Amino acid sequence: MSAENIRAENLTPVQQQVADLIGQDNFQRLMEVYGGTYLYIPKVDKLERLSRNEQIRAEFDGYNFRPLAQKYGLTEVTIRSIVSDKVREVRAQPMDGQLSLL
């Protein structure tokens, strides 16, 4: 089936909006690849939030909750939640100059 065979009256209003947004040919390709499956399209802010959280984890030193909260405009509770998996890992590492007995 070609894009010319897709009739607007056979599409739901949301499908028509998508076809109008990406073009009939791209909508046809979308149907060919993903037709009959559930496709979730995340909001932009979710991907931005994931990227921000990765950056926070990278900057986390085990103790800098408040500076990170201030830098990113978040609460310390939110920062603690974001880095919760990394807290024990970072704090278990020996400090500079400290010898490990393990």
Side-chain angles (χ1 to χ4, degrees), residues 38-51:
Y38 174 78
L39 177 65
Y40 172 75
I41 301 172
K43 291 183 175 184
V44 172
D45 67 330
K46 180 176 182 173
L47 297 179
E48 290 171 343
R49 190 171 51 251
L50 290 173
S51 178

Side-chain angles (χ1 to χ4, degrees), residues 17-68:
Q17 286 177 336
V18 172
D20 291 343
L21 180 68
I22 66 174
Q24 292 294 330
D25 289 336
N26 287 328
F27 188 72
Q28 172 68 31
R29 181 80 176 119
L30 194 64
M31 289 190 306
E32 290 168 1
V33 175
Y34 295 101
T37 64
Y38 174 78
L39 177 65
Y40 172 75
I41 301 172
K43 291 183 175 184
V44 172
D45 67 330
K46 180 176 182 173
L47 297 179
E48 290 171 343
R49 190 171 51 251
L50 290 173
S51 178
R52 178 206 65 201
N53 291 355
E54 287 176 18
Q55 185 65 35
I56 289 170
R57 283 186 202 95
E59 294 176 27
F60 180 64
D61 66 8
Y63 302 94
N64 58 339
F65 299 103
R66 181 172 290 146
L68 289 172

